[in-house]
Amino acid sequence: MTLQTPVKLPYFCNSAGLPGPLPTPDEIQDASRRHGWGSSGGVCVIRGIFLVKYGVKVTENEGNALLFVEEHLNISAPRLYAMYHDPHSKVLHLVMEYIQGVDMESLWKTLSVEAKSSIASQLRPMFTQIRSINPPPDFIGGVCGGGLPDPVFGTMSPDNNINGPFKTDEEFSSALALALRNNWEQNGRYGWLSGYLSRHVPTALKGYRVTLTHGDLHMRNILVEKVPSFSGSSVTGVGEEGTGQHWSYQVKGIVDWESAGWYPAYWEYASAVARFQSEDDWLESLDTIIKPYPQEASIILLVLQGLQFI
């Protein structure tokens, strides 16, 4: 697998693949006002068929990741219809398919054990497929090349030793250690955790294959829809037992691909665990969706704590 060639901007998909005319600037502006978004950026839905994401933090990596997924994978993810800079504000706009569904985070506590198991069983082959794509040789970085899009590897000014891209997972883990050390120095303090991890992370996290990675495997980025169950096996949520109606939950899409890229195989799991901020049992399901890397997750948790990302 070679790297995805980034599309030239402005990008517009073939009009035959559109569900309707692309949103006009006035439509986007009006929808943004209704959603309370300012000129700095936001997300708005247009006509119930388009989702527009725009702002200073929106990157071409997300648009190119969606194009890569559409071309190489058969999973539920939004289609990219357009990517361009607004001629006046110069802010990047992504016009995507609007996927009807509810984010799993808002539903999780109401779901039965069976419903959670059903959702996990639908996600498992999707992430298996994502991770089965052959990586480009000797490369860890964004979908199309360049540095790593995860904010952990961001710096105020360019620094390839932290931003990447990298050739090996040892360089990748060294970047984590360097980012941690720089963070402590910039804050005028030096703790035992920073020194300890700086010494040991580069050797503790090496020897992993590289995989295509979504980069933000969180419940809020998984959309599901409740549909009547006709299979004879009921998958119900809390409060639905005894109503005579059986429901199942269908995964409608995996969204928010801005951090997608080529990472060491442990990163999807480890970063998801390290960034987990809830008291529910999502991690039990996560263990069945992708291969667990508990030791690596423990290390990344300490790194993100040191970086003050969590």
Side-chain angles (χ1 to χ4, degrees):
M1 173 67 67
T2 58
L3 291 171
Q4 173 83 348
T5 302
V7 295
K8 294 182 179 180
L9 301 188
Y11 164 80
F12 299 96
C13 77
N14 190 311
S15 59
L18 291 173
L22 284 172
T24 66
D26 287 342
E27 282 184 294
I28 295 173
Q29 189 175 51
D30 290 344
S32 299
R33 289 191 185 122
R34 290 197 301 272
H35 285 77
W37 298 112
S39 58
S40 61
V43 178
C44 58
V45 178
I46 309 291
R47 285 180 257 135
I49 53 177
F50 295 105
L51 185 140
V52 180
K53 180 184 286 190
Y54 67 95
V56 294
K57 294 184 179 180
V58 177
T59 67
E60 294 180 35
N61 186 74
E62 182 171 9
N64 282 297
L66 292 176
L67 291 174
F68 184 91
V69 168
E70 182 180 357
E71 180 180 356
H72 296 285
L73 299 170
N74 181 27
I75 65 172
S76 301
R79 287 194 61 204
L80 180 71
Y81 295 132
M83 180 164 59
Y84 57 86
H85 288 95
D86 180 87
H88 301 294
S89 66
K90 308 303 180 184
V91 169
L92 185 66
H93 283 57
L94 303 183
V95 182
M96 298 173 277
E97 172 188 10
Y98 174 61
I99 296 178
Q100 297 280 352
V102 180
D103 72 273
M104 204 167 64
E105 182 176 36
S106 64
L107 290 176
W108 193 253
K109 292 182 179 180
T110 71
L111 299 180
S112 67
V113 173
E114 292 83 5
K116 294 174 181 179
S117 177
S118 173
I119 291 171
S121 69
Q122 295 174 62
L123 290 169
R124 188 182 309 117
M126 295 183 191
F127 278 91
T128 297
Q129 190 180 154
I130 292 170
R131 297 166 73 80
S132 68
I133 297 291
N134 291 327
D138 302 323
F139 180 82
I140 298 174
V143 171
C144 297
L148 285 154
D150 192 297
V152 168
F153 300 91
T155 54
M156 295 295 292
S157 56
D159 184 345
N160 291 340
N161 292 320
I162 297 177
N163 312 145
F166 305 113
K167 291 185 176 181
T168 68
D169 59 350
E170 191 168 3
E171 291 179 354
F172 176 92
S173 54
S174 293
L176 289 173
L178 180 59
L180 187 65
R181 188 181 69 191
N182 288 353
N183 177 271
W184 282 77
E185 290 177 351
Q186 290 166 7
N187 285 280
R189 55 201 180 107
Y190 185 87
W192 70 268
L193 179 61
S194 174
Y196 181 82
L197 292 174
S198 294
R199 291 194 303 273
H200 295 294
V201 165
T203 55
L205 297 177
K206 66 178 181 178
Y208 299 87
R209 67 187 182 92
V210 174
T211 66
L212 181 64
T213 300
H214 175 272
D216 193 8
L217 180 46
H218 190 284
M219 287 188 290
R220 65 175 173 269
N221 293 331
I222 299 167
L223 302 181
V224 299
E225 183 180 36
K226 180 179 169 183
V227 296
S229 176
F230 302 105
S231 64
S233 61
S234 62
V235 179
T236 58
V238 171
E240 295 174 321
E241 292 81 351
T243 64
Q245 176 66 67
H246 299 304
W247 300 92
S248 62
Y249 290 85
Q250 181 180 359
V251 175
K252 300 297 292 184
I254 301 168
V255 300
D256 288 346
W257 292 76
E258 63 266 24
S259 295
W262 304 99
Y263 295 76
Y266 66 82
W267 187 255
E268 189 87 271
Y269 179 87
S271 62
V273 171
R275 289 169 163 134
F276 183 65
Q277 297 292 307
S278 179
E279 297 298 325
D280 56 47
D281 58 355
W282 161 242
L283 293 185
E284 293 180 20
S285 294
L286 182 64
D287 282 353
T288 71
I289 295 169
I290 57 176
K291 177 183 176 181
Y293 288 89
Q295 293 177 336
E296 295 81 354
S298 300
I299 295 172
I300 297 304
L301 175 60
L302 289 174
V303 170
L304 296 191
Q305 287 177 339
L307 288 170
Q308 300 175 324
F309 268 86
I310 55 176

